[in-house]
Each structure stands twice: as C-alpha cells, then as structure tokens.
Amino acid sequence: MNIRKLQDALSVCFLKAHLLLSVSIVNKHKPWIETSYHGVITENTDVVLLDPPLVALDKDAPIPYAGEICAFNIHGLEAPFEAVVLNGTSGEGQLRACGLVDCELQKEYTFIIQAHDCGSGPGGTEGKKSHKAVVHIQVNDVNEFAPVFREPRYRAAVTEGKIYDSILQVEATDQDCSPQYSQICNYQITTTNTPFAIDRNGNIRNTEKLSFDRQQHYEIQVTAWDCGQKRASHSVPVHIDVKPVCKPGWQGWNKQVDYEPGTGSKQLFPKMHLETCGEPLSSLRVTVELQTSHIGKGCDRETYSEKSLQKLCGASSGSTDLLPAPSATTNWTASLVSDSGRDSDLIFMFDGRQAAKIPDWVVPQNLTDQFTIATWMKHGPSPGLRAEKETLLCNSDKTEMNRHHYSLYVHNCRLVFLLRRDFTQVDTFRPAEFHWKLEQICDKEWHYYVINVEFPVVTLYVDGVTYDPYLVTDDWPIHPSQIDVQLTVVACWQVMLLEVLKGGEVTKPRFTQYFRGSLSGLTIRPGKIESQKVISCLQACKEGLDINSLESLDKSIKFHFNPAQSILVMEGEDLENINTAVRKVSYINSRQFPTPGIRRLQISAIVQCFGEDTCITIPSIDAVVMVLQPSEPRITISGVERLSQSASDFRAAGGITLFQDLHIISTVTRADATPHHTAHQPGVLEEIIHNLDYCDILVLGEELNPKQESLQLQLSSLLGKHLDATNSTSGMSIYGVDSMTNYEQVIRQVQYYHLQPGQLTERRFRLTCSELNGRYTSNEFTLEVSIWHNSETGEHISHMVAPPQYMQVVHHPSMISDLYPNHVSGVPSAATVVIVMCIAALVVVVVLGIYRIHVTHQQEVKQGETAKEADTNWDDSALTITINPMENLENHTTGEEEASEEEEEEEEEEEDDEDEEDEEVTSDESDDSEEEVDVQLPRMQHSSEKPQRWDKTTICY
C-alpha cells in the first residue's frame, strides 16, 4: 500500500512538471497591436476616442494565460492618461484621462503604449511585450471663455465736417484655444441713436458729419461676440471728441532765404514745423526738392573751359574740342548760335538749320580701338519728326559716296552710336550700331553723356551712371577707298543725287539730319577712355541740399539723397523727430563765385495714420533760395612795364625773361561796417585768394617771325601744376585751373628769344588773366621790350661774367631812365671813355678786340643795317659785340682765324684779371652767345625751311 501511495505521488509530480513544461513551450508569441493611434478627448472629460480602437492580439490563444492580455503600459513624460484592459481574452482595452484635461493648457499629447500577455499564470510572470505604438491625442475645445477687450476704454478725436472711414479700432480677445471659439466674429454698438457704426473688424466710423457746435463729445458702448456666439461679459466705453476745423500744413517758414556766397551751409527752415491737427500718425515721409534746372547746365557747376576742367579732374590729355568758342583759329563755330551769357558757360543752341564742318587739321586722325566721346546735351522730343535722325557728330565720305564711318545721333528718343571699321582694321562681321533707350534723352534737361569705346565694347555714362546698350547690330567693315572723309557736328554731310533737265544726273553734297536741341563741350579723345571717377568729377554739381549736425538726428529717422543732392527724402514715425530733422536741412554752394539768382524749393509730405494709407493731406509749399551776387574780384597784374636788354641777351640760350617781377593779386570791395562809413568811402578793399583758368600773352604789332624769334617756356616749369600751355606766332596761352601763385611762377619763366636782334628795336607784349572762363578778367598789362644795339653808360651791369642761364636783371621803370638816360642814342660818358682807354693801353688784347669790332661793323653796313645803326658813333674803348648769326660766314681769311686763336688766349688772361672784370667785355661773351644760340635753336617753332647749322669756329669778328 505504501508502494502504491508512493507511485501516486510520483505520478502527480511528473504531471505538474509536464504541465509547466507545456506552458513554457506554448507561450511562443508576443502580443500584437497597431503601430499608431489617433485619439480625441473633449476638455473636462476623461474618455478618449481612439482610432483604431485599442485591441491587442496574441497568436498563443486560446492557451490560457499565454494567449490572454493582462495589461497596457504607457510610456511618456507625465502623460495624464492610463490604459485599462476591458477583456483579457479578446484583448480589448480603453484609454482614459487620469484627470480633467484643459485645451487652454495643452492642445495635444503624444506618448507610447505597449501590451503585455499573461505569460504562465494570473500574475503575468514570464509574460511577453508587444512592440511600441505611438499615440497622438488631440484635446477638443469647449467655448468656456467670453470675449474680453484689450483696453478698458478707448478715446479718439475727429475734426468736424468730415466723414471718416475709420476713427479708431477696438479689439477684443478670447482665451479659448480653438479658432472656432477664440476668434471674434462680430462687434456691436449697444448705445442707441448715435452717428457711429462699427464693422466686424472693430473699426468705428461716423455715419454723418459731426458738428463741434452741436456736440463736442460722444460716449458709446461697444460689445463683442466670438464665433461660438458667446458675448463679452462687459462692454467697453469709447470716447470720441469733436474738434473744430484744423488746417494741416507747414508753419513757421519763410518764402525766401538769402544765401551769401562763401558762407558755407545755411539752414533753410530753422523754425518750421508740421501741423497735423492732432491726427495720430503712424509714419511720415517728407521730401525737399531743390530745382536748379534753369541754372547753367542743370545746376551750378564750374564754368571753366572744357580743357581746364579736364585738367582739373585729371582727365587724359589729347582731347579735341569740336564746339569751341569762336576765334581766329576756331572759326567753324562762328556761324552757330551760342549763349555765353550764363555765367560764361558756353552753350550752343540748334533749331535744325545749323551745322558746321570740322577742319581737317582739327579732326583726330588716329582713332584706335579706344577713344572717348563726351558732350553735354539738352534735348526734347520733336513733334512730327520722329522718323528723322538728329546728328550730334558724323564722319562721312566727303564726295561720291554716303558711307558713315562713325556717328552719334538721336533717333526716336534713342541714342545711337555708329562705328564701322575699315577692312584694314578688321575683315569680319563685327558690332557696328549701339542703341540706348533712356528717359534722359528727351526730358528737356541737361545731362552729361560719355561714350567709352573699347572696341567691340561700348559703354555709355549718363551723369556718371553706366548704361549698357539694349541693342547691338553687326555690319561688315567699310571697303577701302581713296575718298576723303568729312567730320561734321549737329548734322551729317551727305552726297545727294540730283536730276538735270537735259538728262543725266549730278551729285551735290549737303548737310542733312540736323540736330534740334542744345550742346556744350562736345569733345573726342582718341587712344584713351575716361574712368568713372573723372566722369563724375566733370559733371559734379557744386550746389545742393545738406543736413547740419547729421549725427544729432534721431536714429529712427531714415534719409537719402539723390546723386546730385537736389532731392532729400526723410522718413520717420515720430512727428517731433521729423520736425527736428526738417529744421536742420540746409543749402550749400561750394563755388567761390556762384551763379547768382533764384533756386526754387518745394517741400511735400505724405502722412500715414494707423490702419490707413493716408489720413490727412499736407499741402506742398514753394520757397526760393536767393543766391546773392558775389563780390566781383578785381584781378590786378603788376610788374616792370619797360625792359631794356642788350642784343646779346636776346640771342642767349632761352633769350630774356619777360615777366621776372610779375605779381598777380585779386581784391574785392567789402562793405565798411564802421560808423564813420560815408558815401566817399564805398568800402574796404580786401585781398582774396582764388584760382585762375588762363593767362594769355599777346604779341602787339607784327606777329613773331618763327625763323628768328619765339616765346619759350620750359616744360619743367609746368610739372606738379594743373597747367598747360600753347604757343603760336601771335603769343602764348597758359591755361588750367590753378592758384594765382602757380600762374605767377610759370609766367615769370616765359622767355623771349630773337636770333637777329639787330633788326629789331622794340617789342610789345600784352598779358591778361581770367577766372571762370572770362567771367572775371584782369587788367591789360603791357610790357615794352627795347634792345641795346651799342654801348651803354658806364653804370650798366658788367657782362664780363655771364649771368646764370635764364636769369636776367630787370630794373623798375623809374630806375631805367636814371641809370641809362641816353640808352637810345648809345653815346658813352666821358668817365667811361677815360677808364676804358687806360685799360686798352695796358692790355694788348684790346687792340685785337678793336680790330674785330671794325670788321663786324663793316659787314653790318654791307648787309643794309638800319640808318640808326649805320650812323652810330663807335667807340674803340667799349667792347660791346653785336653778332648777326644769320649772315653767311663761310669765307674767312687766315688773319681772322689767327684773331680767333688770340681771342681764346685773351679769354684765359681775363679770367685771372678780377680788377678789369667790371669794365670791359671780352670775346668770352661772344663765344657764350654763340653756344647759347646752338642750344636754343631746337626750341624755336618749326618753320618750312631747314634751319642753318652754325659752327662757332667759322664766325669772324
């Protein structure tokens, strides 16, 4: 029996072990749930509606425990939710809120959920977990809050007699979280019988014109509804004040502002302010415009000549002025209509009937792939002539054909530049016509045009701004021919084909394609192009608007100028800051002598109010700046007016210095402010410093003979200065914008050279200087130069020691008559005769000198010397030697050669004799004079004849 009990016990143990093993083997699968769930919960509730429903499945079912779901676990950061199992066998579950959720605190939740099976028993031991699924929960809103106004009360002011689109705007908010319940869908005025209405955005307007006399104040109540039709718990009061009519505009300004030249920057509106009649402004834009189109070429610019301006701005040299002022050498513009009365600014005006040919010697012959064409132009549309070209510059065939080699013209308010290359330069299809379409071409205002050609690239500058052509057309190069070309301005030279009565045809060249408008400073510069810096300098305005104490302006003020500083725009939000900025606006003119007259000013303002484009209209105002007449400078040239030099000095290297003691000053008359000022004392002279732009040295009487005489100036004297010079047989012109001091330094180095001074007794020169292209001119300073043909008084300066090259002693006119009372007759004094005779008795060389003088005198008589020179009393004691290097000196005797050798010995002896140095002239001076002639000859103007070469060893005395 015991054995049986033992067997039963063993059987039970084996059964339990078998069951345990069976369970572990059966729970082979993990539970399965969806990968994501989306749920919705209404705030203030706890049930979550999931999509799809929360269900976990296990492939181990229907095995007990292993196929059953025991729990759902939530993983998240403080997620206020829990998941419960509704049916373990079916795996159904439910998601609930742990407490009440509030949409206003959080609208959405996201967390992780995971299912567990029961494993081996009810406790879920050895259970398995499903994969993790994402759960998104959205909280639905409940309309639990009423609208609330942002302000406890509102206030506005209106002007009587006006209908406003919006007087002010009220605004309410709602704390609900959803758009449905948080948005305000309607406003309503609850006060009855009021002349006001409100729209859905809260804008209040008046429905009729209000009267200050009838009622000065209104108070209305306004309420609001949200889109869930929940009304605000409290209405808001709105106070509206009615004001009498106010006229917005600028106040405290003067109609005219006087500007004194040279005073720098002057405030235009020191007391002006803008009256807005109490309107609440959101922004303000003020524009100040200075109108100067009637001044010169669009504004007050420097009116120096085109060459002087180019030199001043650092432009490349070598430009050719195609529209210069008419003169003897530039007579092709004499028939053109010009206006030089505007501050000496040379302007040519054309009505379609004038034109000019440029002489061949003026036309640049070396146009390369680089050149520049520049001009000032004022042009407007020509009614009825839109199809006709208007030529500014044209280079075409002179006869037979009508080929245009290059031209610049306006066509239908488009600027066109034509450039056709020759076959010798290029033989392919290349760019030939460049077109620009710009508003400036036909706006009837002055603009500065510069065309820089770097073939095949052509760039246009208008007032310093770059423009590329909108159209470029190609063409074949021009075939070579023997036909001459003709350069013309303001029209084109073309050959017209005419029919004759008896048959046949004949060609006749004439002008066509005339220009209509105004031009100034038309230049062409071959071989170089201008930089943008130089172009900006050439067209820069010297007057404009400015702001005083710019750093003191409020940082919120935004302002900007146009390039010419004629328009100033200021923007800001604060009215007082704008008023402060406007009071700092000033006018400035940097010219020392500005163009006097009126400059018109226009001040306009655009005001914006809150929620509106514009609320009040500010009328524009017009004022003027009166630039007063500047004190005219009086330019005075002074110096030695009569200069006497020996004949040998004129033949010396460089000749004689004409204006060594020259002085140039300028004075103006200032009003005397002292109480003793009377009519007999109109003012006080005050010396001022300013620039000059040219000085002309004119030869009076006969022009210079280029074979014998010339005016000369070392190029080194122009270095470091803005000056240049031109020379001709009628005189010398020094030009360029520079100081009076620099002009003095250069003019003092001008020298007069004459190869045969024996044929001349006197020369007269006239010097005049100018500022601003002739607007202010100096006095006419006349210099008379006389020549000593024979010995002078014993008090004259010794010539034994030659003075330094290019340096001459010049005496004041009042001293000349005292030192040389008989310098014209040439008769020496008795004291001089005695002294020289003593020296002649002691020095043997003197005898040789006397012999040389007699030979020279005989040669001069044979050549037809003037009667005055022929009758001159020669004194053997005075060794003044006159040489005529133009004579034929090739035939010389042996005795003359020996005299030349003895002359050299005499030169050595006299260098050691310091006591005799101040009393006689040796042959050393003659040799030096001959050497100076050799050095100076290359500096003379070139003549048609070949200059004669001199050998001092062949000259006889």
Side-chain angles (χ1 to χ4, degrees):
M1 189 167 190
N2 291 332
I3 294 173
R4 189 175 180 82
K5 289 181 179 179
L6 180 60
Q7 289 178 345
D8 293 338
L10 290 173
S11 300
V12 172
C13 291
F14 280 116
L15 182 59
K16 290 183 178 180
H18 177 71
L19 290 173
L20 290 174
L21 182 62
S22 299
V23 171
S24 61
I25 294 174
V26 170
N27 193 13
K28 297 186 296 183
H29 301 92
K30 295 187 296 182
W32 177 90
I33 59 176
E34 298 287 346
T35 57
S36 64
Y37 295 90
H38 294 272
V40 176
I41 183 172
T42 301
E43 64 175 343
N44 302 327
T45 62
D46 60 351
V47 178
V48 179
L49 301 178
L50 283 179
D51 182 25
L54 183 59
V55 176
L57 302 178
D58 196 321
K59 291 184 178 181
D60 293 326
I63 299 175
Y65 302 114
E68 297 177 357
I69 303 301
C70 283
F72 292 97
N73 290 336
I74 292 177
H75 307 280
L77 297 176
E78 300 179 357
F81 296 95
E82 62 178 358
V84 296
V85 178
L86 298 181
N87 189 330
T89 302
S90 62
E92 295 180 35
Q94 188 180 54
L95 190 63
R96 299 175 181 173
C98 297
L100 299 180
V101 293
D102 192 345
C103 178
E104 285 72 37
L105 296 179
Q106 188 168 345
K107 296 180 181 181
E108 293 181 348
Y109 295 91
T110 301
F111 50 86
I112 303 298
I113 193 170
Q114 196 174 30
H116 297 256
D117 61 16
C118 295
S120 59
T125 57
E126 301 181 7
K128 292 189 176 184
K129 302 177 182 179
S130 69
H131 61 270
K132 295 179 180 180
V134 179
V135 180
H136 299 279
I137 304 298
Q138 180 178 348
V139 182
N140 283 345
D141 187 24
V142 174
N143 193 7
E144 54 185 331
F145 294 100
V148 176
F149 287 94
R150 289 187 179 275
E151 303 292 338
R153 65 184 57 83
Y154 291 87
R155 179 174 293 276
V158 296
T159 302
E160 62 175 344
K162 294 178 60 178
I163 296 294
Y164 291 86
D165 293 332
S166 178
I167 297 174
L168 78 161
Q169 183 182 27
V170 297
E171 184 179 4
T173 60
D174 195 309
Q175 297 182 11
D176 288 314
C177 67
S178 64
Q180 179 182 0
Y181 300 134
S182 64
Q183 291 183 353
I184 306 302
C185 283
N186 194 19
Y187 292 93
Q188 182 180 359
I189 297 176
T190 58
T191 305
T192 58
N193 299 325
T194 59
F196 300 98
I198 190 170
D199 60 16
R200 299 183 63 179
N201 295 321
N203 294 306
I204 299 176
R205 59 182 178 85
N206 57 322
T207 56
E208 61 184 45
K209 295 181 179 180
L210 306 179
S211 172
F212 177 80
D213 296 332
R214 185 171 64 247
Q215 187 171 347
Q216 294 84 33
H217 177 77
Y218 291 89
E219 180 179 352
I220 58 177
Q221 297 292 325
V222 177
T223 188
W225 276 269
D226 62 20
C227 294
Q229 295 302 308
K230 196 176 187 73
R231 181 177 174 175
S233 56
H234 299 284
S235 298
V236 65
V238 178
H239 300 271
I240 299 176
D241 296 319
V242 180
K243 292 185 176 182
V245 174
C246 175
K247 296 181 179 180
W250 297 101
Q251 298 182 2
W253 56 280
N254 294 325
K255 181 71 175 178
Q256 177 174 318
V257 180
D258 292 337
Y259 180 79
E260 182 72 28
T263 56
S265 180
K266 181 171 183 179
Q267 286 181 264
L268 297 174
F269 319 108
K271 297 181 179 180
M272 190 171 72
H273 69 278
L274 180 62
E275 175 60 57
T276 61
C277 300
E279 290 285 349
L281 309 180
S282 63
S283 65
L284 184 62
R285 177 187 176 98
V286 177
T287 302
V288 183
E289 182 177 359
L290 178 68
Q291 299 173 357
T292 60
S293 59
H294 63 291
I295 302 296
K297 296 192 289 286
C299 67
D300 210 359
R301 295 182 169 93
E302 296 293 5
T303 56
Y304 295 115
S305 66
E306 197 66 26
K307 281 190 175 182
S308 297
L309 279 177
Q310 291 173 359
K311 188 81 173 177
L312 182 65
C313 292
S316 303
S317 59
S319 66
T320 300
D321 192 354
L322 302 181
L323 286 176
S327 66
T329 57
T330 58
N331 56 3
W332 68 88
T333 59
S335 62
L336 303 180
V337 179
S338 63
D339 178 13
S340 58
R342 301 185 186 181
D343 196 15
S344 301
D345 202 0
L346 183 60
I347 294 173
F348 290 91
M349 296 171 291
F350 307 98
D351 60 359
R353 291 178 293 181
Q354 304 94 0
K357 295 181 183 179
I358 308 299
D360 293 338
W361 62 270
V362 176
V363 178
Q365 301 296 329
N366 56 342
L367 282 185
T368 62
D369 287 345
Q370 285 189 343
F371 61 92
T372 299
I373 298 176
T375 186
W376 286 95
M377 182 176 74
K378 181 180 180 181
H379 181 263
S382 301
L385 300 172
R386 292 183 57 83
E388 185 174 345
K389 296 179 180 179
E390 298 181 55
T391 301
L392 283 76
L393 176 70
C394 182
N395 185 266
S396 58
D397 290 334
K398 188 175 290 187
T399 58
E400 300 182 26
M401 304 179 71
N402 283 329
R403 299 177 304 174
H404 292 187
H405 296 259
Y406 62 88
S407 65
L408 179 65
Y409 60 90
V410 176
H411 190 208
N412 291 339
C413 291
R414 291 166 173 80
L415 188 66
V416 183
F417 176 64
L418 170 68
L419 177 62
R420 297 190 65 188
R421 317 295 287 176
D422 296 336
F423 258 107
T424 57
Q425 297 171 313
V426 64
D427 58 356
T428 59
F429 207 55
R430 301 300 297 274
E433 275 192 344
F434 304 83
H435 300 249
W436 293 272
K437 183 179 180 181
L438 304 173
E439 294 180 358
Q440 295 92 321
I441 297 173
C442 286
D443 64 357
K444 298 182 180 180
E445 301 289 345
W446 280 106
H447 298 284
Y448 187 55
Y449 298 83
V450 178
I451 294 179
N452 274 348
V453 178
E454 286 183 290
F455 192 78
V457 178
V458 177
T459 305
L460 172 67
Y461 292 85
V462 180
D463 298 333
V465 181
T466 309
Y467 295 93
D468 293 325
Y470 80 94
L471 175 65
V472 178
T473 58
D474 296 343
D475 203 347
W476 289 103
I478 295 178
H479 293 279
S481 67
Q482 301 300 321
I483 303 175
D484 293 333
V485 294
Q486 177 66 61
L487 180 62
T488 57
V489 291
V490 298
C492 203
W493 187 254
Q494 290 191 174
V495 178
M496 307 302 294
L497 189 64
L498 304 176
E499 295 183 358
V500 296
L501 296 177
K502 296 182 179 181
E505 297 176 341
V506 65
T507 58
K508 180 181 179 182
R510 67 178 181 87
F511 286 114
T512 185
Q513 300 175 4
Y514 288 93
F515 176 76
R516 296 168 179 83
S518 298
L519 294 177
S520 178
L522 177 59
T523 61
I524 184 169
R525 177 180 291 103
K528 294 181 181 179
I529 62 173
E530 290 298 359
S531 65
Q532 189 163 8
K533 180 180 179 181
V534 171
I535 294 172
S536 299
C537 174
L538 291 172
Q539 60 89 36
C541 287
K542 296 299 181 180
E543 65 178 339
L545 299 173
D546 194 14
I547 297 180
N548 286 336
S549 303
L550 187 61
E551 64 280 355
S552 64
L553 289 182
D554 190 86
K555 302 301 181 183
S556 64
I557 300 296
K558 299 178 181 179
F559 65 92
H560 58 87
F561 291 92
N562 66 333
Q565 283 194 224
S566 60
I567 298 177
L568 168 62
V569 179
M570 296 183 291
E571 296 178 306
E573 298 177 356
D574 185 79
L575 177 61
E576 191 56 40
N577 289 338
I578 287 290
N579 283 333
T580 302
V582 170
R583 286 192 285 267
K584 294 181 179 294
V585 176
S586 59
Y587 169 82
I588 186 171
N589 194 317
S590 60
R591 294 189 66 192
Q592 190 173 9
F593 305 106
T595 303
I598 289 176
R599 277 76 164 162
R600 301 192 181 278
L601 281 169
Q602 186 177 70
I603 302 94
S604 60
I606 299 177
V607 177
Q608 291 184 343
C609 296
F610 295 96
E612 298 182 14
D613 293 335
T614 58
C615 50
I616 59 175
T617 301
I618 306 297
S620 299
I621 62 173
D622 295 316
V624 296
V625 176
M626 175 61 74
V627 178
L628 303 180
Q629 179 76 36
S631 299
E632 295 193 7
R634 181 179 180 182
I635 305 171
T636 304
I637 303 175
S638 61
V640 175
E641 297 180 353
R642 187 171 182 84
L643 184 64
S644 298
Q645 296 288 104
S646 65
S648 60
D649 293 335
F650 289 85
R651 293 192 300 268
I656 66 168
T657 303
L658 295 178
F659 306 99
Q660 190 170 353
D661 289 341
L662 179 79
H663 294 283
I664 304 175
I665 64 170
S666 182
T667 57
V668 294
T669 302
R670 304 292 189 191
D672 190 357
T674 61
H676 302 288
H677 179 70
T678 62
H680 300 287
Q681 297 176 339
V684 178
L685 283 179
E686 178 181 328
E687 185 173 347
I688 62 171
I689 298 175
H690 59 78
N691 292 328
L692 300 175
D693 58 353
Y694 69 81
C695 286
D696 289 338
I697 303 172
L698 181 64
V699 178
L700 300 180
E702 294 183 0
E703 293 189 355
L704 300 177
N705 184 353
K707 299 180 182 180
Q708 299 180 359
E709 56 184 335
S710 65
L711 291 174
Q712 298 176 356
L713 180 64
Q714 292 287 346
L715 292 179
S716 59
S717 62
L718 301 176
L719 296 179
K721 303 177 179 66
H722 296 290
L723 297 178
D724 209 341
T726 58
N727 202 354
S728 67
T729 58
S730 60
M732 177 180 291
S733 178
I734 302 169
Y735 62 91
V737 182
D738 214 329
S739 64
M740 291 184 290
T741 301
N742 283 346
Y743 266 93
E744 278 185 0
Q745 294 175 359
V746 173
I747 296 174
R748 287 173 182 174
Q749 300 182 54
V750 174
Q751 295 169 316
Y752 171 62
Y753 174 83
H754 201 298
L755 189 62
Q756 292 182 335
Q759 300 179 2
L760 187 68
T761 58
E762 186 179 75
R763 265 294 187 191
R764 298 174 67 239
F765 301 92
R766 177 180 295 164
L767 173 63
T768 57
C769 294
S770 157
E771 164 68 334
L772 296 176
N773 201 22
R775 179 178 173 186
Y776 305 114
T777 56
S778 69
N779 61 310
E780 294 182 349
F781 177 78
T782 302
L783 173 65
E784 295 183 2
V785 179
S786 58
I787 303 173
W788 306 337
H789 292 293
N790 286 314
S791 60
E792 292 293 337
T793 64
E795 299 180 10
H796 74 276
I797 298 174
S798 172
H799 292 279
M800 290 186 65
V801 179
Q805 196 174 20
Y806 306 129
M807 295 293 292
Q808 298 293 335
V809 180
V810 182
H811 296 283
H812 194 276
S814 62
M815 299 174 61
I816 294 177
S817 59
D818 297 333
L819 293 175
Y820 310 103
N822 300 314
H823 73 280
V824 176
S825 62
V827 179
S829 65
T832 304
V833 173
V834 173
I835 294 173
V836 175
M837 289 295 293
C838 292
I839 296 173
L842 297 175
V843 182
V844 179
V845 181
V846 173
V847 178
L848 299 176
I850 295 172
Y851 173 75
R852 184 178 67 236
I853 293 173
H854 279 295
V855 173
T856 305
H857 179 64
Q858 292 297 327
Q859 292 175 351
E860 291 177 351
V861 171
K862 291 179 181 181
Q863 293 296 327
E865 192 71 352
T866 61
K868 180 180 178 180
E869 292 173 340
D871 297 333
T872 302
N873 231 349
W874 291 88
D875 191 345
D876 296 341
S877 63
L879 301 182
T880 302
I881 303 168
T882 304
I883 302 173
N884 188 353
M886 294 301 293
E887 296 175 0
N888 187 356
L889 303 176
E890 295 181 354
N891 298 324
H892 308 286
T893 64
T894 305
E896 292 171 343
E897 295 176 354
E898 293 175 356
S900 178
E901 294 175 356
E902 293 178 5
E903 173 193 354
E904 296 177 358
E905 296 176 359
E906 174 191 357
E907 176 182 348
E908 296 176 357
E909 293 175 1
E910 290 184 348
E911 287 177 354
D912 298 330
D913 191 359
E914 297 180 357
D915 297 332
E916 299 172 3
E917 193 172 65
D918 297 331
E919 299 297 332
E920 60 180 305
V921 180
T922 68
S923 61
D924 187 24
E925 178 187 350
S926 298
D927 288 346
D928 289 345
S929 298
E930 292 167 9
E931 291 174 1
E932 290 174 357
V933 171
D934 292 340
V935 173
Q936 193 61 35
L937 276 174
R939 297 179 187 159
M940 295 182 62
Q941 292 187 354
H942 298 290
S943 62
S944 59
E945 298 180 3
K946 183 176 181 181
Q948 187 173 0
R949 297 182 60 87
W950 303 102
D951 187 353
K952 67 179 182 179
T953 61
T954 63
I955 299 178
C956 61
Y957 297 89

